[in-house]
Amino acid sequence: MSGKTTIYDIAKALNITAATVSRALNNNPKISQSTRKLVLETANKMNYKQNKLALALRSGKSNNVGVIVPRINTNFFASVIRGIEEGLHPEGYQVIICQTHEDENREVENVNTLLNAQVDGIFMSISNLPKENNHYIERVIQKNIPLIFFDRKKEMKNVSSVTIDDYLASYQTTQHLIEQGCKKIAYFSGDRSLEIYEDRYRGYEKALLDNNIPINPDYIISIKSNVTEGRDAVEKLLALENPPNAIFSTSDFAALGAIQKLKERGIKIPEDFCVFGFGNEPFTKFMELSISTIDQSPLEMGKMAAQVFLDKINNKKSENKVILSPKLLIRQSSTRIPQI
């Protein structure tokens, strides 16, 4: 046969109506088991493929979910996606992955594409978008499609989220550096218009205040998550009249850049300068000088996000805010005093 097989071809081959074929393929109880078996066997022989989109439109269920991330080329986001897939595949769901590359327009396109694909749910780690621009997110909510934020989120009614306690992670990290004898702690921040980075900054700030250490605005630098910006930021810090003796970076990649530049300048780590990252990227553990960092439990986060989605569709919960505990991984780059 040439071309795609249709239900009309199957109906003609069996000398029954197309409506009967359609009902049999969709397991309609009005169709006898013998007729259904015959239709399915014939459809298989004729290499018939159901139109999944049309089926989704009729049934209201596609068994597909969308995952939107800023980028997939980091261990963190790749692991979250893996966790979501592991949690949902046994339940019959397939995962569609989209990247925003931190571009708001692409994020809007991603959401619209997933909605047009009739996905049953959307998992999203938002890009850096203006706080007032929620129209496309509101569209998901209005369509009653489960929306689960993970890692980066916006506080919105009827939207679930799975995050770690970013405030606590930053507080504990800053406290650790203080206990190592560091009183001049620089802070590499992401864009604080995102809740995740504002929470991390508040933890850093509170730890300093609790230890009666003044906050030096010259030590606070907003950077992107890459090695180059970490190197450039260290150059600025070392040029200060009163340079810091520690860095807490909200990015492992920027922390790596900082360490590279410090070594080039002959500064000993951790004897003269401590560095602490965030994210537990694989390279942090296997470097000659292992980097202290925070494990965000991405696999667990993904599995929990999948469970939140399943709870939503099965139990009709309006929202569920899950906060996972951070895990400090204290390694060589920040350890002056041996850990007990």
Side-chain angles (χ1 to χ4, degrees), residues 38-274:
L38 181 62
V39 169
L40 291 175
E41 289 176 349
T42 304
N44 186 52
K45 290 177 182 178
M46 298 177 71
N47 199 30
Y48 171 74
K49 303 294 183 184
Q50 281 187 297
N51 185 323
K52 294 295 182 65
L53 181 57
L55 186 62
L57 289 170
R58 289 197 300 271
S59 66
K61 186 176 175 63
S62 67
N63 285 100
N64 291 324
V65 298
V67 180
I68 302 175
V69 295
R71 56 196 175 277
I72 61 172
N73 63 336
T74 67
N75 179 69
F76 174 76
F77 286 119
S79 296
V80 173
I81 292 169
R82 175 187 164 191
I84 292 172
E85 196 274 341
E86 286 186 4
L88 293 185
H89 187 265
E91 302 297 324
Y93 289 92
Q94 300 296 323
V95 175
I96 302 171
I97 302 168
C98 302
Q99 296 184 85
T100 65
H101 298 284
E102 305 287 7
D103 184 324
E104 181 186 347
N105 292 326
R106 290 189 67 157
E107 188 166 81
V108 174
E109 291 174 3
N110 289 340
V111 170
N112 289 335
T113 297
L114 292 174
L115 291 177
N116 291 336
Q118 303 292 314
V119 294
D120 296 333
I122 294 177
F123 300 80
M124 177 186 291
S125 186
I126 65 173
S127 64
N128 179 19
L129 71 164
K131 290 184 180 297
E132 69 277 4
N133 190 354
N134 295 325
H135 66 280
Y136 57 101
I137 297 177
E138 293 289 353
R139 186 180 171 207
V140 178
I141 300 170
Q142 290 167 4
K143 286 182 170 289
N144 202 31
I145 295 173
L147 174 61
I148 298 98
F149 288 135
F150 63 90
D151 187 45
R152 303 183 188 181
K153 67 180 180 66
K154 292 180 71 70
E155 200 62 45
M156 299 180 70
K157 189 176 180 181
N158 297 323
V159 177
S160 297
S161 62
V162 182
T163 61
I164 68 163
D165 191 332
D166 287 286
Y167 173 88
L168 179 61
S170 280
Y171 186 96
Q172 291 178 338
T173 297
T174 308
Q175 185 65 37
H176 161 73
L177 291 170
I178 293 169
E179 291 170 357
Q180 297 301 303
C182 303
K183 300 297 177 67
K184 299 186 293 182
I185 304 171
Y187 179 72
F188 290 175
S189 174
D191 190 330
R192 286 168 55 193
S193 67
L194 290 171
E195 290 181 20
I196 185 174
Y197 292 118
E198 178 61 21
D199 288 345
R200 291 177 188 178
Y201 174 77
R202 289 191 305 104
Y204 160 80
E205 181 183 57
K206 186 65 165 59
L208 292 180
L209 294 175
D210 284 352
N211 287 275
N212 298 312
I213 299 174
I215 296 168
N216 186 338
D218 290 337
Y219 290 171
I220 301 167
I221 301 178
S222 180
I223 63 171
K224 294 179 181 178
S225 179
N226 63 59
V227 172
T228 301
E229 297 231 349
R231 292 173 61 89
D232 293 344
V234 166
E235 285 282 13
K236 294 177 183 178
L237 291 172
L238 295 181
L240 294 174
E241 185 176 341
N242 182 27
N245 58 7
I247 290 172
F248 171 29
S249 170
T250 56
S251 158
D252 280 339
F253 294 98
L256 174 59
I259 288 173
Q260 288 178 349
K261 180 57 67 172
L262 289 167
K263 284 185 173 181
E264 288 174 11
R265 295 287 293 270
I267 297 172
K268 294 180 180 180
I269 304 168
E271 294 87 350
D272 301 328
F273 208 110
C274 289

